[in-house]
Amino acid sequence: GQQLNQSPQSMFIQEGEDVSMNCTSSSIFNTWLWYKQDPGEGPVLLIALYKAGELTSNGRLTAQFGITRKDSFLNISASIPSDVGIYFCAGRGWGGYQKVTFGTGTKLQVIP
Amino acid sequence: EPEVTQTPSHQVTQMGQEVILRCVPISNHLYFYWYRQILGQKVEFLVSFYNNEISEKSEIFDDQFSVERPDGSNFTLKIRSTKLEDSAMYFCASSMGTGSVTDTQYFGPGTRLTVL
């Protein structure tokens, strides 16, 4: 099956620092998604990427869709305590109705 | 803002019992999904549902699982005879189903199922 591996698995950072996390896939996806999951909650979509090479920002978040369609990264600038959570990359086919395949997750802890 | 709701938030059951997890998708959405997340692991796709039939299912979604849209608002996941390994967080999601690449799946808060 399709495998999405994220790195790092977990990270502790100081408030105000920038964060970078990566995702690589064993197969090509046409759409890349980044979700955040707070404890006891469902995943919430942060950024969606639709074209290879695309670089998209959403506030302090920036994500890129790799040229090979097999990887993506997410950067968070100037981290704040509420950035704590698990970040999942995910891949999907062209259609919005298609299943989402989630990565293994990166757990982020922010030290105030 | 419209949201997907799920009930109950936590369900405890004995092995071998049937459970029904309930979801109310966003009202104008046409595609519905169930995903599950075993504690500490990634979220996994179970099934998608459109126009009153299963659109796609994963290998996890075996004969013990079924889905139904019993009325105009609810979407349910039934596990016929629960096993210990069914213990997980179950997420319902819905999307407009336009087919557009920008169509987004919105996730509910989940139901934590504990099988004893």
Side-chain angles (χ1 to χ4, degrees), chain B residues 83-104:
Chain B
K83 304 189 276 281
L84 294 176
E85 54 265 37
D86 292 328
S87 294
M89 196 77 160
Y90 288 80
F91 294 107
C92 175
S94 70
S95 70
M96 290 188 69
T98 60
S100 165
V101 67
T102 59
D103 193 9
T104 299

Side-chain angles (χ1 to χ4, degrees), chain A residues 67-95:
Chain A
I67 290 287
T68 64
R69 296 180 176 271
K70 288 181 156 187
D71 63 301
S72 178
F73 72 74
L74 175 71
N75 288 341
I76 306 173
S77 63
S79 57
I80 59 178
S82 61
D83 289 335
V84 164
I86 302 177
Y87 291 78
F88 289 100
C89 67
R92 200 196 67 199
W94 279 117

Side-chain angles (χ1 to χ4, degrees), chain A residues 2-4 30-31 35 37 40-43 45 50 86 88 92-105, chain B residues 31 33 35 37 41-45 48 55-56 89 91 95 97-105 107-110:
Chain A
Q2 295 164 319
Q3 298 272 356
L4 276 75
N30 292 314
T31 300
Y35 287 87
Q37 185 180 31
E41 302 285 331
L45 183 66
Y50 305 111
I86 302 177
F88 289 100
R92 200 196 67 199
W94 279 117
Y97 59 87
Q98 292 180 283
K99 70 177 182 186
V100 175
T101 300
F102 283 82
T104 48
Chain B
Y31 251 97
Y33 314 81
Y35 291 79
Q37 184 180 32
Q41 298 187 22
K42 65 180 180 179
V43 179
E44 300 173 290
F45 169 78
S48 59
S55 178
E56 185 178 1
M89 196 77 160
F91 294 107
S95 70
T98 60
S100 165
V101 67
T102 59
D103 193 9
T104 299
Q105 293 177 31
F107 285 78

Side-chain angles (χ1 to χ4, degrees), chain A residues 7-79:
Chain A
S7 62
Q9 269 191 304
S10 65
M11 51 200 313
F12 284 82
I13 59 167
Q14 292 283 342
E15 183 178 354
E17 286 183 348
D18 297 344
V19 172
S20 185
M21 55 191 83
N22 297 297
C23 186
T24 57
S25 170
S26 60
S27 51
I28 288 171
F29 287 104
N30 292 314
T31 300
W32 279 85
L33 309 162
W34 283 92
Y35 287 87
K36 182 182 180 226
Q37 185 180 31
D38 291 328
E41 302 285 331
V44 174
L45 183 66
L46 298 174
I47 288 184
L49 302 154
Y50 305 111
K51 290 189 219 174
E54 180 181 354
L55 184 73
T56 294
S57 292
N58 179 9
R60 293 179 295 107
L61 308 178
T62 302
Q64 184 156 32
F65 190 152
I67 290 287
T68 64
R69 296 180 176 271
K70 288 181 156 187
D71 63 301
S72 178
F73 72 74
L74 175 71
N75 288 341
I76 306 173
S77 63
S79 57

